Amino acid sequence: MQPVQAQLWMVAGVGVVLAIIYFAAQGFQKTNVPPVTGAGPEQQQHADLARNTLAKDSTNLAARIELANVLYDTGNWSEAIIHYKSAARLDPQRSTTIVDLGVCYYNLGQFAAAESLFQHALVLDPAQAVAMFNLGIVAETQERWKDAQDHYHRAMQANPPDGMKKQLMEHLQTVMKKTGTSPPALVQ
């Protein structure tokens, strides 16, 4: 064999070996990602898609939030916090991300952090009814009945999502019983 041919075969052989190593590593990474604890098949599929997208582009906001939401929905609060924080760094004006981050902290028993995040969401969006509702939840948890009542009342005035209205009314009635008062009339 001539030296040039030998060198070409050597380069081709090294290329094949590198390709095998690359594809083996890719397969190892994909199969070595742990499933999301508590995720159903559809949630796991969303998490896998988001993780694959983030592996290619860690600044993809939609994928970051999708993964955080799956972790949130499955009660994986600590891991969801990591992804919501990343999303908040990518888009610091997104009040819904800040609220979801606050709920994760609340569910971990970190009420001061949660309350601070809900307040921050209201700075970003003063009509953020979900943040007001969650401030009420924090206040109610801490038996600050008057504060809870005020937050719930403000949330009712802020036109909350339909799915929240029933819960909001239930919480408002609970704290009204605790305070022995009724909230002021809602402004129309």
Side-chain angles (χ1 to χ4, degrees), residues 49-100:
L49 181 60
R51 284 176 173 162
N52 289 338
T53 301
L54 290 169
K56 295 173 189 161
D57 177 10
S58 65
T59 64
N60 186 308
L61 181 62
R64 184 70 62 189
I65 291 173
E66 178 69 21
L67 180 55
N69 287 343
V70 169
L71 294 165
Y72 175 102
D73 292 342
T74 55
N76 293 286
W77 312 117
S78 296
E79 195 175 350
I81 285 171
I82 294 167
H83 295 284
Y84 281 132
K85 280 183 173 181
S86 293
R89 279 191 296 274
L90 293 169
D91 184 0
Q93 300 302 309
R94 187 183 287 264
S95 66
T96 55
T97 299
I98 304 300
V99 170
D100 290 343

Side-chain angles (χ1 to χ4, degrees), residues 42 46 81 89 114 117 142-143 156 166 181:
E42 188 175 333
H46 285 280
I81 285 171
R89 279 191 296 274
L117 287 162
Q142 297 174 335
E143 298 182 356
M156 285 299 287
K166 182 180 178 194
T181 64

Side-chain angles (χ1 to χ4, degrees), residues 19-38:
I20 290 170
I21 290 171
Y22 172 78
F23 288 113
Q26 291 296 322
F28 179 74
Q29 285 177 341
K30 287 182 183 174
T31 59
N32 221 18
V33 174
V36 174
T37 303

Side-chain angles (χ1 to χ4, degrees), residues 8-22:
L8 287 175
W9 278 108
M10 181 71 90
V11 168
V14 168
V16 168
V17 168
L18 290 175
I20 290 170
I21 290 171
Y22 172 78

